[in-house]
């Protein structure tokens, strides 16, 4: 992916709210996980924007996101738990875009996507 144009407001939020006081990559990943968990209003509706090898979702499918997944977070992958085909499973947040979600939830998802694109 091509890096996005710099968004100063988003950059400040990431530096001052999400990864502030972190000293390792693992701590940054935990900062992101905490931010996403605290900021996103679960449940919300999302659509699969891209297919990923590690996920059964197909582009265009709509799912209900019910929480953060217990999967270990990394700086390149955060998983959320979705309701899909009468069960719950973890999928990468990267592959989702919000359909019906609060402004805070949309912002948190956009922050994560921005981080990955940089």
């Amino acid at each position: 992916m091509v890096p996005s144009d710099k968004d100063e407001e988003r950059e400040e939020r990431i530096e001052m709210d999400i990864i502030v006081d972190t000293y390792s990559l693992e701590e940054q990943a935990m900062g992101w996980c905490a931010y996403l968990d605290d900021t996103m209003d679960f449940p919300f509706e999302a659509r699969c924007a891209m297919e990923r090898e590690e996920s059964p979702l197909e582009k265009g499918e709509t799912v209900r996101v019910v929480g953060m997944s217990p999967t270990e977070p990394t700086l390149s992958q955060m998983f959320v738990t979705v309701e899909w085909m009468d069960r719950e499973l973890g999928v990468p947040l990267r592959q989702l875009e919000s359909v019906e979600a609060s402004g805070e939830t949309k912002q948190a998802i956009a922050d994560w996507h921005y981080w990955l694109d940089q």
Side-chain angles (χ1 to χ4, degrees), residues 44-96:
F44 63 90
E45 299 297 313
R47 179 177 20 266
C48 178
M50 67 177 74
E51 293 184 19
R52 301 284 301 234
E53 184 176 304
E54 66 273 26
S55 170
L57 299 182
E58 295 179 0
K59 188 172 182 175
E61 274 188 277
T62 302
V63 294
R64 183 176 174 90
V65 181
V66 296
M68 294 299 293
S69 170
T71 303
E72 188 72 28
T74 70
L75 285 179
S76 62
Q77 198 87 284
M78 291 286 163
F79 284 83
V80 290
T81 301
V82 301
E83 292 176 345
W84 182 76
M85 297 184 74
D86 297 324
R87 59 188 170 134
E88 290 186 352
L89 70 143
V91 300
L93 180 58
R94 175 63 168 154
Q95 92 178 119
L96 301 177

Side-chain angles (χ1 to χ4, degrees), residues 5-19:
D5 291 333
K6 210 163 189 85
D7 179 331
E8 294 301 327
E9 181 180 330
R10 197 175 303 277
E11 290 278 339
E12 183 174 340
R13 184 171 41 257
I14 290 169
E15 289 294 322
M16 302 307 292
D17 296 339
I18 301 170
I19 60 172

